Amino acid sequence: MTFRRKLLALFSLTVFLSVTLVAWLVSAMTRRAFDKADSNRTAALVTQFQREFERQGAEVAHQVEAVAASDAVTRMATMLNRASTDSSGYFELAKSLADGYRLDFLEFVDARGNIISSAQWPAKFGYPEATFVNLSSSDQQPAFLKQEELQDSTTLGLFAVRASHVGDRPIYIIGGRRLDKNFLSGLVSPADSRALLYQNRADRFSSDLLVDPAAGNAPAVTTRSADKLAPLIQAVRQSNQEMAVLIHWSADQADDELFHAVPLRGTGTERPLLGILLVGNSRRSYVELKRYIRDTALAVGGGGIVLAIFLSSWAAARVTRRIEQLALASQQVTAGNWNARVEVSGGDEVAQLAESFNRMTAELMNQKERLVQAERVAAWRELARRLAHELKNPLFPLQLTVENLLRARQSDSNQFDEVFRESARTLLAELSNLKGIIGRFSEFSKMPQPQLQSVQVNDVLRAIAQLFQAQLRAPGHPPIACHLELDEQLGAIPADPELLHRALSNLVLNAMDAMPNGGALTLRSRGANGKIIIEVADTGSGLTLEECERIFTPYYTSKQHGTGLGLAIVQSVVSDHGGRIGVRSQPGRGTKFIIELPRNPDTLRSVSAASPVSPGKG
Amino acid sequence: MKRFAWPSLVISSLLTVTLAAAGTRPQYGGTLHVAMRVAPATFDPSDNTQPDSFTRRNLTLLIFETLLTIDSAGRVHPALALSCQAAPGNQRWQFRLRRDVKFHDGTPLTAEIAAASLRAANPSWKVFADGDSVVIESEAVDPELPAELALPRNAIARRSPDGKASGTGPFRIVDWQPGKKLTLAAEENYWGGRPFLNAVEIEMGKTYHDQAIALELGRADLVEVAPEQVHRASMDGRHVSSSEPMELVALLFAREAKTSEEKLLREALALSVERASMRSVLLQGAGQPAAGILPTWMSGYGFVFSAETDLPRARRLREQVRAVPTWTIAYDPSDPVARLLAERVALNARDAGLSLQPAATTSPDIRLVRILLASDPWIALAQAGSVIGLPAPKINAGSAEDLYSAEQAMLATRRLIPLFHLPATYAAAGSLKNWTPGPDGRWNLADAWLESEKP
């Protein structure tokens, strides 16, 4: 992965994490805010119900007081205080007054606790009021909850008790209103809120005991779904404390409803749990708003991420462009173009790096120049030493011959002719030798530029093997076996066949020189990563490490009569083809020359264009 | 001064008596406005599909007449039949018809028409005309036939081919809006003499409350009064008149008691009912608590059947039964007191450990019923038996002992638990004169007259 992509990925990841973190924070804060608002709303509704409960209770108490103070009740109380008066004439009075005073329940109970008249159950006259003991002490007390038994059911009501003390025997007026759908509907509840009432009359939860003001209208709590409230109701019944539970009506979270259960207790010392008020807050608005926020956050976040990627890409390109220039320049330096330079812009660290790089390459160039100069001097010294050595050998016989000839002339004229002839032959031979030496040096200096064409390397190797076949098996010499290990899928490369043939021939000649006692010569070809590898291996005496390091130096030779130019020519040819040559050898274990040649002619051209002046040309 | 005092006193006294007599003298004319609860669909006496009621009986007897009538003492009087003659053994009766009687459509009353009318009302009877007489023959001894013939359902009617029934009563139908209003006009040629009233307009389907208001506002001269309102109406100064208690209010079981345990439970229920307090409170003192089918005034021995509440015994009987079913009790929803009675019975039953649930179901276990009895005890007993689904009791000697035995046998089936006997009560305007309902609740409007308003 490139530095730009890494930088882009880093920027994108940073933006993504930032957006995710912000979204999470917003979501968490929103949820916390909604939970708080939800809690406040529930508390407000519960408080409102309690106020409404108290208000209704006060109204019930007021109405009951009004009934107690009415003329009809006063007359009844007056008449019933007379010993001879029968109460049977008043059994319909409660019903008639209940309608007028908007009371669902109204009973008149005498001082002994027997019902004189009952609006809700007229046939119950004469029967004792079951809760009379508690009720008689509730005179002038606020309204309270009470379960009222009816003909065919039991229901929950808000009651008040007042007494009419006309004579010695008071008449108790017990009036109330039913806690039913109408009562719950009368509660002014905020939007998305509702109130249900569970009448605690059975040991187990029963949906029939749930009073839902929306029953018959969607979305009423159906019988099947009402069972989901059972655990909450059961828990409140056991703990007798307020509780809140989130009810999942369906798989859709928007249908969720947070129910706050408030226990409703009756009067008396035991204060039994008579009912449970369920205040429900729909989560729909919250969920929808949360979804809206989430969708908006996703859209904004997504857009931000895309925008951030674009900006990051631009910033990364801006930042990495100079890095890439540095990298490219470094590659050029690596490839040998030490003269590579990068543009220096700005004053930041990258610019300082570019300046440093430029200074470094300039210093490298200077060092290279100095090195080349030093090498050139060394080469000239070596050349001079070699030339002196080469020339010194023929010059010494020439000198001796001339001195013999002079002495012969001075001493014995008879032998002079013979000495002269002998000396002339020797002089000619040595001059010929000097001429040969000069010719070889001249030839090395005239190495031609390669004329590239499509060359099958395998064909070249086969031709060389064929050429040296006779010498490898020459009589009087230990035989050398030649092995060809060629990759037939190799294909052609751009090369100068003559120069390539010459270079490989030099390697084969060196190999043959290295195997005076015979051995095996292997010519191998193979492809690797856009290159062609040519190996020339022998099983000869091998080279030392120092010889390996210096073997390609011109005029260096390990042989008795070598000029030291063979391998220098080979390196020059390979270098002119854009390739490289190396040697692997150990003393006594043979030597292997490895040539790497590029397949792509463009590589060759670029390398040729960038390559420094060949030593052969110098 | 003393000489003139006595003559002046005599003259003034005579004038006072004369003016008083003129004030109570019957007057012809006027339209009597009547309001009533029931709204019969037809007035044909023989139509058994219509429920029996005081009102229906009275409407029938305004338009139609029976061969005989019977008074509260059980004495038979001639009506359309001038005389009746029973053959030995009381198996053949011959009734000689009154002459010169015409139906409202002008058709003379004949023995054939009368026989046809009786056959329509009693398909099982053998009735035929014999000259100007109607002969009825029966296979069994039937000493109660004259009383039977005095029932309104045996009134003589002439039926035209289109199904309309015409009578010979003191009033004829002028206008009939089924279920709403009936207008009757006095029959000028009534054989018993033209009624004093010119017409009678009867508003039907009116509640007791509406009737009371109509009477209060002067839009009605004669209205019905619910039993529980009788006391209040009297207290309010209304002119209230009641018949003898002739309507039996009872609990009727839908089926026979198949096991002894079931009979025990039914007896427990009968013992748990607080008839006295129900009468005192719910009926406001009207009617009589009843444990027998026949009212005491009719049978003479009604007190023998105790109507007292015996809750301990009821509980003991209940405890003898392991499984107690929940009975459902139904009542006429249009009857305001019926619901209270049913609920009170259910409450009383609960005290005895029984389970009784008032319900508006079509097939209840128990039904609160009202049975309008005839004034003849045997016929009344037969009517009750018919409601229960029992055959009419056999009349042997027709003695009180036989009647008691028959009634006790009927009660022993535990199909019926009597609660009350209720009278028919009416309130009349002060302008309605010479009107008193009969002991059997009959209106007797033929002799009533309306006092005209003073100028």
Side-chain angles (χ1 to χ4, degrees):
Chain A
M1 182 181 284
T2 63
F3 179 63
R4 178 181 292 190
R5 289 182 180 175
K6 285 182 180 176
L7 204 58
L8 181 60
L10 185 63
F11 285 166
S12 301
L13 183 63
T14 304
V15 171
F16 175 76
L17 291 177
S18 302
V19 169
T20 304
L21 180 62
V22 169
W24 180 80
L25 285 174
V26 169
S27 176
M29 292 174 67
T30 304
R31 184 169 58 248
R32 185 176 298 175
F34 269 91
D35 288 344
K36 188 175 181 182
D38 208 25
S39 176
N40 291 339
R41 192 168 63 167
T42 303
L45 191 58
V46 171
T47 305
Q48 182 184 355
F49 172 80
Q50 288 171 342
R51 283 202 301 269
E52 185 71 14
F53 190 85
E54 292 171 359
R55 189 188 67 78
Q56 294 261 13
E59 189 174 336
V60 167
H62 175 73
Q63 295 294 75
V64 174
E65 281 177 3
V67 172
S70 66
D71 292 341
V73 172
T74 304
R75 271 200 306 273
M76 177 182 68
T78 305
M79 296 299 290
L80 292 180
N81 268 279
R82 297 175 184 172
S84 60
T85 304
D86 183 15
S87 64
S88 62
Y90 301 100
F91 98 101
E92 287 185 316
L93 183 61
K95 186 167 183 58
S96 62
L97 290 178
D99 295 338
Y101 286 87
R102 293 182 290 114
L103 291 171
D104 297 321
F105 310 112
L106 184 62
E107 279 183 346
F108 299 135
V109 179
D110 63 20
R112 292 174 298 176
N114 293 328
I115 296 172
I116 299 170
S117 177
S118 172
Q120 60 269 27
W121 198 348
K124 210 175 179 182
F125 61 88
Y127 273 76
E129 166 57 48
T131 56
F132 178 73
V133 176
N134 291 330
L135 297 182
S136 59
S137 61
S138 301
D139 183 19
Q140 302 305 321
Q141 296 296 318
F144 55 89
L145 274 176
K146 176 173 162 306
Q147 265 186 354
E148 182 66 14
E149 185 187 15
L150 302 178
Q151 170 68 40
D152 52 356
S153 65
T154 302
T155 189
L156 201 58
L158 190 57
F159 286 83
V161 178
R162 295 293 181 268
S164 176
H165 298 279
V166 174
D168 297 334
R169 290 175 289 181
I171 300 296
Y172 293 97
I173 297 96
I174 306 169
R177 282 186 184 159
R178 189 191 302 264
L179 288 186
D180 57 1
K181 294 179 185 178
N182 294 332
F183 184 89
L184 296 176
S185 300
L187 296 176
V188 181
S189 58
D192 295 336
S193 299
R194 59 173 173 161
L196 310 178
L197 178 68
Y198 182 78
Q199 302 180 71
N200 187 35
R201 296 205 310 262
D203 294 336
R204 290 186 176 182
F205 172 81
S206 171
S207 58
D208 296 334
L209 300 177
L210 192 65
V211 180
D212 182 2
N217 306 324
V221 178
T222 61
T223 302
R224 188 172 61 85
S225 59
D227 293 338
K228 294 189 175 181
L229 293 171
L232 173 62
I233 290 171
Q234 200 64 27
V236 174
R237 290 176 57 181
Q238 290 176 354
S239 66
N240 213 7
Q241 291 180 343
E242 294 186 13
M243 286 187 157
V245 165
L246 185 64
I247 303 294
H248 305 284
W249 296 116
S250 69
D252 186 3
Q253 285 188 343
D255 291 337
D256 291 355
E257 207 169 3
L258 180 64
F259 271 96
H260 195 94
V262 181
L264 303 176
R265 301 183 183 89
T267 57
T269 54
E270 296 182 354
R271 299 204 65 199
L273 180 65
L274 300 180
I276 298 171
L277 177 71
L278 299 165
V279 180
N281 269 329
S282 174
R283 307 276 288 181
R284 178 168 295 280
S285 58
Y286 162 65
V287 172
E288 288 178 349
L289 187 57
K290 192 172 78 170
R291 286 175 180 169
Y292 175 75
I293 291 174
R294 184 196 61 193
D295 295 344
T296 305
L298 284 175
V300 172
I305 288 173
V306 171
L307 184 62
I309 289 173
F310 278 114
L311 293 177
S312 300
S313 177
W314 174 78
R318 185 176 173 82
V319 169
T320 60
R321 186 174 64 245
R322 291 182 290 171
I323 305 295
E324 288 172 352
Q325 288 175 351
L326 279 170
L328 183 61
S330 299
Q331 288 177 355
Q332 289 176 356
V333 170
T334 304
N337 182 11
W338 292 7
N339 200 24
R341 294 288 186 275
V342 292
E343 181 184 355
V344 178
S345 59
D348 56 5
E349 289 84 351
V350 178
Q352 292 174 5
L353 180 61
E355 284 181 358
S356 299
F357 179 83
N358 288 340
R359 282 199 300 272
M360 179 188 74
T361 53
E363 187 64 26
L364 282 175
M365 281 300 293
N366 291 333
Q367 290 184 1
K368 181 183 175 185
E369 288 293 334
R370 287 195 294 271
L371 183 61
V372 168
Q373 190 67 27
E375 284 186 349
R376 191 173 293 163
V377 170
W380 278 113
R381 283 179 179 170
E382 182 67 22
L383 176 62
R385 187 188 67 80
R386 199 71 193 172
L387 192 59
H389 176 74
E390 290 294 331
L391 292 178
K392 193 170 90 176
N393 288 337
L395 284 178
F396 185 67
L398 283 176
Q399 184 179 1
L400 288 180
T401 302
V402 172
E403 289 176 354
N404 284 334
L405 190 58
L406 290 177
R407 277 193 304 267
R409 180 68 181 159
Q410 293 172 354
S411 62
D412 189 1
S413 59
N414 294 333
Q415 292 178 345
F416 178 76
D417 292 339
E418 187 179 353
V419 171
F420 179 79
R421 285 190 299 270
E422 186 69 25
S423 296
R425 283 195 301 270
T426 302
L427 288 173
L428 288 173
E430 291 303 325
L431 287 173
S432 176
N433 191 16
L434 282 172
K435 190 177 181 180
I437 291 169
I438 292 169
R440 287 201 297 274
F441 279 88
S442 176
E443 184 183 4
F444 177 68
S445 65
K446 293 180 181 176
M447 281 295 292
Q449 280 293 325
Q451 300 299 315
L452 298 181
Q453 56 183 287
S454 180
V455 175
Q456 295 288 343
V457 173
N458 289 344
D459 293 344
V460 176
L461 290 173
R462 287 191 190 96
I464 289 172
Q466 185 66 32
L467 176 65
F468 287 95
Q469 191 66 32
Q471 296 183 38
L472 293 174
R473 297 183 179 178
H477 287 87
I480 297 173
C482 181
H483 304 288
L484 283 173
E485 297 179 5
L486 307 178
D487 183 358
E488 298 301 334
Q489 307 299 326
L490 208 56
I493 63 167
D496 187 326
E498 290 184 6
L499 291 178
L500 190 60
H501 188 276
R502 184 176 169 182
L504 292 173
S505 296
N506 280 348
L507 291 177
V508 170
L509 286 172
N510 277 348
M512 290 171 63
D513 291 341
M515 293 184 290
N517 299 322
L521 173 67
T522 303
L523 302 177
R524 187 179 293 120
S525 67
R526 57 187 172 89
N529 298 327
K531 297 176 182 177
I532 285 179
I533 310 296
I534 302 171
E535 294 177 0
V536 178
D538 63 60
T539 58
S541 56
L543 300 171
T544 65
L545 183 59
E546 182 184 359
E547 288 172 339
C548 287
E549 290 176 351
R550 299 188 60 189
I551 196 167
F552 295 109
T553 303
Y555 310 113
Y556 174 81
T557 181
S558 59
K559 292 185 288 189
Q560 191 72 28
H561 302 289
T563 60
L565 293 175
L567 288 177
I569 290 171
V570 171
Q571 186 188 35
S572 176
V573 169
V574 171
S575 179
D576 289 347
H577 280 79
R580 294 191 305 177
I581 185 169
V583 60
R584 293 179 187 172
S585 180
Q586 286 183 357
R589 302 188 66 175
T591 302
K592 179 192 289 183
F593 288 92
I594 304 168
I595 298 172
E596 293 180 3
L597 294 175
R599 286 178 188 269
N600 190 350
D602 295 337
T603 306
L604 177 61
R605 281 195 292 272
S606 64
V607 170
S608 299
S611 61
V613 178
S614 170
K617 290 178 183 177
Chain B
M1 177 72 184
K2 206 170 186 179
R3 281 195 302 174
F4 293 101
W6 280 108
S8 300
L9 185 62
V10 171
I11 292 169
S12 61
S13 301
L14 287 172
L15 281 171
T16 302
V17 171
T18 304
L19 288 172
T24 56
R25 183 183 300 160
Q27 298 175 2
Y28 282 94
T31 298
L32 179 71
H33 297 275
V34 182
M36 49 187 272
R37 280 182 66 231
V38 298
T42 177
F43 302 109
D44 191 331
S46 62
D47 186 356
N48 294 325
T49 60
Q50 299 293 310
D52 195 8
S53 65
F54 284 113
T55 303
R56 189 179 174 216
R57 289 182 182 183
N58 279 308
L59 289 177
T60 300
L61 295 177
L62 288 176
I63 304 167
F64 305 94
E65 289 178 294
T66 54
L67 294 180
L68 304 169
T69 59
I70 191 167
D71 61 18
S72 58
R75 292 187 294 267
V76 175
H77 299 276
L80 288 179
L82 284 173
S83 64
C84 70
Q85 185 176 3
N90 290 334
Q91 289 183 314
R92 187 178 191 278
W93 294 78
Q94 183 170 4
F95 302 91
R96 189 165 64 85
L97 297 183
R98 188 183 297 274
R99 294 183 178 179
D100 301 328
V101 175
K102 290 185 177 179
F103 289 96
H104 298 152
D105 60 359
T107 306
L109 172 66
T110 63
E112 287 75 13
I113 295 174
S117 177
L118 291 173
R119 280 197 298 272
N122 307 280
S124 62
W125 287 6
K126 185 178 180 182
V127 185
F128 54 90
D130 184 9
D132 59 351
S133 299
V134 174
V135 177
I136 302 174
E137 293 180 354
S138 61
E139 295 180 355
V141 177
D142 190 2
E144 297 299 321
L145 185 62
E148 187 81 14
L149 290 174
L151 295 176
R153 67 181 183 84
N154 287 322
I156 303 302
R158 178 185 176 276
R159 294 171 180 82
S160 60
D162 60 356
K164 289 184 179 178
S166 179
T168 61
F171 293 92
R172 59 185 168 82
I173 299 173
V174 175
D175 183 39
W176 165 228
Q177 301 172 28
K180 293 182 179 177
K181 186 177 181 183
L182 174 66
T183 303
L184 303 174
E187 177 61 36
E188 297 291 342
N189 299 319
Y190 178 56
W191 61 268
R194 182 192 186 280
F196 291 108
L197 298 171
N198 278 352
V200 179
E201 286 187 1
I202 303 166
E203 298 278 346
M204 302 178 177
K206 300 293 183 184
T207 64
Y208 288 122
H209 183 258
D210 292 342
Q211 293 181 48
I213 291 175
L215 181 66
E216 182 72 26
L217 298 177
R219 293 202 295 259
D221 304 305
L222 180 63
V223 298
E224 301 164 317
V225 180
E228 67 275 14
Q229 297 295 331
V230 172
H231 178 69
R232 178 170 295 176
S234 300
M235 297 290 289
D236 291 345
R238 308 256 185 252
H239 178 57
V240 177
S241 301
S242 297
S243 70
E244 292 288 349
M246 291 197 63
E247 192 173 30
L248 173 65
V249 179
L251 300 175
L252 176 64
F253 282 88
R255 58 183 179 82
E256 293 180 16
K258 293 181 178 177
T259 63
S260 58
E261 288 187 338
E262 200 169 354
K263 285 186 176 179
L264 288 176
L265 291 177
R266 293 185 182 187
E267 187 178 352
L269 176 62
L271 291 170
S272 69
V273 177
E274 295 176 324
R275 293 176 179 82
S277 60
M278 291 166 76
R279 173 180 175 267
S280 173
V281 178
L282 300 182
L283 300 178
Q284 292 291 291
Q288 295 293 328
I293 297 172
L294 302 177
T296 302
W297 71 269
M298 189 185 295
S299 65
Y301 56 78
F303 57 87
V304 175
F305 302 106
S306 174
E308 294 295 320
T309 306
D310 192 348
L311 206 54
R313 186 171 169 227
R315 287 176 180 152
R316 286 196 298 275
L317 293 174
R318 147 71 188 86
E319 288 167 0
Q320 295 178 31
V321 180
R322 294 178 186 172
V324 178
T326 297
W327 287 325
T328 54
I329 178 172
Y331 50 85
D332 180 3
S334 65
D335 186 352
V337 78
R339 185 177 72 86
L340 292 172
L341 290 172
E343 289 180 1
R344 186 69 179 189
V345 168
L347 262 175
N348 294 155
R350 193 174 67 173
D351 293 341
L354 302 172
S355 180
L356 199 58
Q357 184 66 42
T361 173
T362 55
S363 57
D365 300 308
I366 304 171
R367 193 182 297 276
L368 184 72
V369 295
R370 287 176 180 245
I371 304 172
L372 186 56
L373 303 172
S375 55
D376 182 83
W378 286 101
I379 297 175
L381 211 54
Q383 286 176 323
S386 172
V387 172
I388 297 171
L390 299 175
K394 288 186 178 180
I395 305 172
N396 297 322
S399 63
E401 289 78 8
D402 292 342
L403 189 66
Y404 172 76
S405 299
E407 184 177 355
Q408 194 176 33
M410 202 171 285
L411 291 172
T413 63
R414 303 293 182 197
R415 285 288 303 277
L416 196 72
I417 299 178
L419 298 178
F420 302 100
H421 286 117
L422 298 179
T425 305
Y426 305 96
S431 59
L432 181 61
K433 302 297 183 183
N434 195 30
W435 179 83
T436 303
D440 57 353
R442 194 167 298 191
W443 283 353
N444 295 329
L445 288 179
D447 297 327
W449 53 277
L450 283 171
E451 186 180 43
S452 61
E453 294 183 0
K454 293 178 181 177

